[in-house]
Amino acid sequence: MSVATGERVIEFRDALREAMSEEMRNDTRVFLLGEEVAQYDGAYKVSKGMLDEFGERRVIDTPISESGFSGMAIGAAMRGLRPIVEFMSWSFSLVAADPILNNAAKMLYMSGGQFGCPIVFRGNDGAGGQLASTHSWSVESLYANVPGIKMAIPYDAYDAKGLLKTAIQDDNPVFFLESERLLSTTAHVPEEAYTIPFGKALTRRVGTDCTIISFGRPLHFCLEAAEELAKEGIDCEVIDGRTIRPLDIDSMVTSVKKTSACVVVDQSWSFASVGSEIASQIHAFCFDDLDNHVYRVHSDDVPTPYAYNLEQAYLPNSRKICEAVRQATYNA
Amino acid sequence: MPIEITMPRLSDTMEVGTILQWHVKIGDEVSAGDLLADIETDKATMELQSFDDGKVKELIVPEGNPVNVGTIIATLIEEDDVDGGSSESQEVAPEVSASVEEPSTADNSAVEQIAQVESSTTTHSPTSGGTRVSPVARRLAEEYGVNLTAVQGSGPSGRIIKRDILQFVATTSETTAAAETTKVSTTEVIQGTVPATPVTAVQPLAPTSPWQQERTVPLSNMRQIIAKRLVESKQTIPHYQVTMDFDMDPLIEMRKTLNQQLATAGVKLSVNDFLVRCCALAMATNPAFNASFGGDCIQYHGPVNVGIAIALPEERGGGLVVATIRNADQKSLRTISQESAYLSKKARETGLSIEEMGDTTFTISNLGMFGVDNFTAIINPPNSAILAVGAAIEKPVVRNGELAVGREMSATLSLDHRVIDGAMAAMYLKTLKELIENPASLLV
């Protein structure tokens, strides 16, 4: 991303910290808890310096017990606080599946509106790089299946800050999916406060021949693929959905009506996934506008490999996206 | 192994055929030569005969459904082929359309839906059958009024996709643009004549007649072929025109005499019959008029086959065909007249066979009978020239230095400049003039 001189450029991880710190300054109900978030400044240095500023009552180190501290935070949220729960990796949230899916997501409904659950769960999602199968989860498709939650996936530092502030201010449970691979990437982030609304997709690249829809890290592969395809004369429009729930299907439909071709790129597995849901909705809303069925690019239908070369081949990379777009546009 | 029967190419220009009627049903035994179906091509309705003996296994393409040449339309199983084929065919319902063109099985489509890029590179076996069209292509075709049977699909299994329609529209946009211009200018005229008064239903300028209803009429096969071939002709052949007037008095006098004398023999020569013979005889000294442009060569043809453009009646869908008088240079006026009358009647009533309209080397288009003085025609490829003939009309003429009333006919040659130059055209018209104005030579 090109940045004008004089504009402030910061890392993705700093943008996350700024969002949390600003919200904690504005609202004393907001606090952060998780493994190593306080003394160690966070496993990925996202919460660096926050213990010093906010003290140990608001920046809390927890034991390695996701189910326990998630449940505790949900209780706090029910009683009026606004916790931010950091999962070192979303892979570890699986042991907290019952509290986050059965309690947080359903609290407002099951209590007949007596208890809300204004909570943010955030952490690294997707393959971090040779972390092997159990630590490389992409949880978006698994969790997006559950009604009652919101899910945001930032693409860069600017979105990380704007979307996280919206997440903290939201009265519902928000699953906030970051990427370890993006934490050190930089982008322009203004000094002044701003938020980015949920459910508003952003067109990252304008094109006429094929709509590519994605979220978070794979968008970088999509944009890379779009440049490659442009050399072949295929002009792609790349849409960043920004949030999976709520899903801005309207923007996606508008784009597909223009291009008549669509490729959905989703880093989770293909079966019963965010990608299959979007494809299904595009088929329904764009039936008479499609020149081909919607193509999907996912991680391969196997556990994430450990070997570097296999992991690269497994992910929804630029090569696979190019191939899918060529097929969707009959240029294969 | 079943024997596959494909849509045959029944004429040079045929790309699509429609089965008007199946004469067999599933399970019927057929022998070589048996009539299988009636097929409508761009030019005529033809009979499809079986080349093999066997039993009808499947009728894949239903009646009335246009398919590309080469599409499998039916399969036969050989009599001695007993691998369960017969029991299968017994169980297939006699309903013809039952076996038709569901793209793939439910299983296949499910697989296709979830296929990732890697696996989706393995294509599913294409299903033969009707035209496949992507949804957006179908919608665009409707919007642009494109007849899908005229479009060649470039997608998998011949699927018609968006770019096929857009390309088709682009290549025919000249026509569309012209039509739209007409529409716009009409509106302007209406608005211009009634200034400051919006054209409303309250004060219609003219009663609305059914013909004024805006509507889209799909092209008939013939209209498609006319559209395609004439655009091709006009766009690829460097046309130019040369006109000459002919003194028709001697020819008309002779025609009158001959028709009176031979009336009892059923002879009724038309002016056009004379022109066919004149044009054919004029080839002898102007062989380039009986030739075709062959890209890197000029192909001179042996036989002189003169085509006659015949307008078809509205109730048969209108349009026109070109009937062929083969070896016209070797035929007497009487023979030409008989053939011409026969072909003209047959064209209007039942349609011509491929033999009756193919292989022309030169074409005559005569609008004289409609009172047209003169006009120009578009060359009928692969001909190099076409003669557009107007009416023989009475007008003041100078004969032997005196002003007199004479019958004159104007005829305009359209020529392919790649084959025929201006001076050659003049030479041909001069030869024609000598023949027409000295018609006695036509009798020998």
Side-chain angles (χ1 to χ4, degrees):
Chain A
M1 179 179 272
S2 67
V3 176
T5 330
E7 283 185 343
R8 193 177 65 124
V9 173
I10 62 172
E11 285 191 359
F12 196 109
R13 55 163 61 81
D14 301 326
L16 292 170
R17 182 177 56 253
E18 282 190 3
M20 292 191 290
S21 298
E22 281 178 21
E23 290 306 307
M24 284 171 73
R25 283 173 210 135
N26 292 341
D27 187 343
T28 54
R29 295 172 300 171
V30 180
F31 69 104
L32 172 67
L33 74 167
E35 292 154 8
E36 295 181 326
V37 297
Q39 302 280 344
Y40 190 65
D41 283 340
Y44 295 93
K45 306 302 170 201
V46 171
S47 54
K48 188 175 179 186
M50 286 179 70
L51 175 63
D52 294 343
E53 181 179 352
F54 298 103
E56 59 189 15
R57 283 179 62 80
R58 295 184 72 193
V59 181
I60 305 166
D61 274 328
T62 67
I64 304 176
S65 68
E66 281 78 6
S67 182
F69 67 73
S70 296
M72 183 189 78
I74 289 164
M78 286 168 64
R79 298 300 300 170
L81 298 184
R82 303 180 79 89
I84 303 166
V85 177
E86 179 176 307
F87 292 126
M88 194 181 294
S89 159
W90 274 97
S91 297
F92 308 157
S93 74
L94 298 177
V95 293
D98 189 55
I100 67 174
L101 301 181
N102 257 338
N103 301 149
K106 299 172 183 172
M107 187 55 65
L108 188 70
Y109 180 85
M110 300 277 300
S111 68
Q114 295 180 78
F115 295 104
C117 197
I119 190 168
V120 176
F121 300 101
R122 47 159 291 270
N124 291 315
D125 175 68
Q130 291 199 271
L131 297 178
S133 182
T134 59
H135 287 192
S136 299
W137 267 88
S138 295
V139 296
E140 43 267 58
S141 294
L142 202 59
Y143 290 164
N145 190 237
V146 181
I149 63 145
K150 295 188 178 180
M151 184 179 283
I153 307 192
Y155 157 84
D156 63 3
Y158 179 88
D159 275 22
K161 182 170 178 184
L163 288 170
L164 185 53
K165 281 172 70 78
T166 303
I168 296 167
Q169 291 170 15
D170 201 289
D171 287 335
N172 299 286
V174 178
F175 289 25
F176 198 85
L177 276 47
E178 299 148 16
S179 165
E180 184 185 336
R181 308 296 300 177
L182 297 181
L183 286 178
S184 56
T185 61
T186 57
H188 163 60
V189 176
E191 305 266 7
E192 59 272 21
Y194 66 95
T195 55
I196 296 173
F198 283 6
K200 294 272 178 243
L202 182 71
T203 305
R204 297 254 171 223
R205 185 186 196 281
V206 177
T208 55
D209 299 336
C210 182
T211 301
I212 307 178
I213 298 167
S214 193
F215 303 85
R217 185 185 175 209
L219 277 165
H220 295 269
F221 306 138
C222 296
L223 291 164
E224 199 180 309
E227 291 314 310
E228 189 62 34
L229 290 161
K231 291 180 205 155
E232 299 167 21
I234 307 170
D235 187 16
C236 295
E237 182 144 305
V238 178
I239 302 225
D240 176 359
R242 279 182 159 168
T243 55
I244 287 176
R245 271 180 180 271
L247 182 70
D248 184 8
I249 191 69
D250 292 348
S251 297
M252 299 167 187
V253 164
T254 304
S255 174
V256 175
K257 279 185 190 292
K258 181 177 78 173
T259 61
S260 307
C262 183
V263 172
V264 184
V265 181
D266 169 14
Q267 64 177 351
S268 48
W269 293 304
S270 70
F271 197 98
S273 61
V274 170
S276 59
E277 173 61 24
I278 293 173
S280 163
Q281 292 199 32
I282 296 287
H283 283 136
F285 295 126
C286 301
F287 185 80
D288 287 316
D289 304 288
L290 284 169
D291 204 22
N292 204 336
H293 70 80
V294 176
Y295 278 74
R296 295 192 281 130
V297 182
H298 290 273
S299 291
D300 291 348
D301 198 21
V302 291
T304 313
Y306 171 76
Y308 175 80
N309 56 343
L310 294 181
E311 184 179 0
Q312 294 306 305
Y314 153 93
L315 291 170
N317 53 41
S318 163
R319 178 186 59 81
K320 288 188 200 171
I321 297 164
C322 284
E323 212 167 295
V325 170
R326 288 187 200 109
Q327 293 201 20
T329 56
Y330 300 104
N331 287 300
Chain B
M1 276 295 287
I3 301 160
E4 291 175 345
I5 299 170
T6 56
M7 177 60 72
R9 186 181 296 278
L10 297 167
S11 76
D12 292 347
T13 53
M14 174 175 171
E15 287 173 3
V16 170
T18 305
I19 294 164
L20 287 185
Q21 194 188 350
W22 280 109
H23 290 292
V24 291
K25 55 185 190 299
I26 291 167
D28 280 3
E29 297 197 358
V30 295
S31 312
D34 282 0
L35 177 60
L36 295 178
D38 290 335
I39 292 176
E40 184 188 31
T41 72
D42 52 315
K43 286 180 171 169
T45 301
M46 315 283 289
E47 293 182 347
L48 172 66
Q49 294 176 352
S50 181
F51 289 106
D52 299 283
D53 297 338
K55 188 181 273 188
V56 179
K57 181 164 182 279
E58 292 171 288
L59 300 178
I60 295 165
V61 173
E63 291 171 1
N65 207 13
V67 294
N68 291 338
V69 167
T71 307
I72 299 167
I73 57 174
T75 55
L76 298 182
I77 39 171
E78 286 168 273
E79 294 289 358
D80 50 16
D81 187 357
V82 286
D83 61 353
S86 55
S87 65
E88 195 183 324
S89 62
Q90 296 301 338
E91 283 173 23
V92 173
E95 195 181 320
V96 173
S97 58
S99 58
V100 183
E101 57 165 9
E102 271 304 308
S104 49
T105 66
D107 280 351
N108 269 353
S109 59
V111 170
E112 195 167 338
Q113 287 302 316
I114 66 157
Q116 293 179 24
V117 181
E118 296 291 328
S119 54
S120 63
T121 50
T122 59
T123 51
H124 301 285
S125 58
T127 317
S128 54
T131 320
R132 297 165 155 230
V133 190
S134 86
V136 72
R138 193 177 288 283
R139 201 200 69 203
L140 287 172
E142 220 165 81
E143 281 173 18
Y144 287 109
V146 172
N147 184 347
L148 287 168
T149 55
V151 182
Q152 193 74 36
S154 69
S157 307
R159 185 190 300 159
I160 297 172
I161 60 176
K162 190 178 176 182
R163 67 164 166 251
D164 299 329
I165 302 289
L166 296 179
Q167 272 165 17
F168 188 89
V169 170
T171 52
T172 55
S173 61
E174 212 173 286
T175 336
T176 320
E180 273 169 15
T181 316
T182 320
K183 223 191 257 177
V184 169
S185 59
T186 315
T187 321
E188 280 167 2
V189 169
I190 292 167
Q191 287 172 343
T193 48
V194 194
T197 314
V199 182
T200 61
V202 183
Q203 258 193 326
L205 288 173
T208 309
S209 309
W211 64 265
Q212 287 175 307
Q213 296 292 319
E214 289 200 15
R215 61 203 196 280
T216 306
V217 181
L219 296 183
S220 65
N221 275 349
M222 181 181 291
R223 184 61 38 204
Q224 282 174 41
I225 210 79
I226 290 171
K228 191 169 163 234
R229 296 196 68 203
L230 294 188
V231 166
E232 197 178 282
S233 167
K234 198 72 196 215
Q235 284 182 344
T236 59
I237 299 177
H239 279 68
Y240 71 102
Q241 278 78 24
V242 179
T243 303
M244 193 177 267
D245 289 342
F246 301 86
D247 173 9
M248 294 298 282
D249 285 336
L251 192 147
I252 289 170
E253 282 310 310
M254 191 173 81
R255 169 178 175 249
K256 198 171 149 194
T257 311
L258 287 173
N259 278 349
Q260 278 170 357
Q261 289 175 355
L262 297 169
T264 49
V267 172
K268 196 181 169 204
L269 305 171
S270 70
V271 172
N272 206 60
D273 298 333
F274 284 87
L275 293 180
V276 169
R277 184 151 163 81
C278 290
C279 287
L281 291 177
M283 299 297 178
T285 46
N286 301 272
F289 282 73
N290 203 50
S292 299
F293 185 71
D296 56 354
C297 60
I298 292 172
Q299 295 155 347
Y300 291 89
H301 303 298
V304 177
N305 300 334
V306 177
I308 314 167
I310 300 170
L312 299 182
E314 202 58 48
E315 51 287 5
R316 293 205 69 243
L320 82 158
V321 290
V322 175
T324 312
I325 310 283
R326 287 173 188 272
N327 303 309
D329 58 325
Q330 294 165 25
K331 284 177 178 163
S332 69
L333 281 170
R334 186 194 288 227
T335 312
I336 289 171
S337 178
Q338 278 171 346
E339 276 191 26
S340 173
Y342 166 80
L343 291 172
S344 171
K345 185 163 181 282
K346 183 161 183 256
R348 292 186 175 113
E349 287 173 1
T350 58
L352 298 177
S353 74
I354 297 298
E355 286 72 27
E356 288 163 340
M357 49 187 174
D359 306 326
T360 62
T361 56
F362 180 87
T363 304
I364 298 174
S365 178
N366 191 336
L367 292 180
M369 61 287 260
F370 300 112
V372 170
D373 287 0
N374 58 63
F375 70 106
T376 64
I378 297 176
I379 294 168
N380 177 30
N383 296 176
S384 301
I386 185 167
L387 188 70
V389 181
I393 46 174
E394 287 194 321
K395 55 164 76 168
V397 292
V398 178
R399 300 255 192 268
N400 306 317
E402 299 276 325
L403 192 61
V405 175
R407 277 165 295 193
E408 292 230 317
M409 180 190 81
S410 169
T412 301
L413 273 173
S414 291
L415 304 130
D416 183 344
H417 214 316
R418 298 171 302 183
V419 179
I420 299 164
D421 301 327
M424 295 159 75
M427 279 306 296
Y428 183 80
L429 285 174
K430 185 164 171 275
T431 313
L432 213 53
K433 195 175 176 74
E434 279 161 10
L435 290 164
I436 289 172
E437 296 184 355
N438 303 287
S441 62
L442 300 175
L443 300 178
V444 289

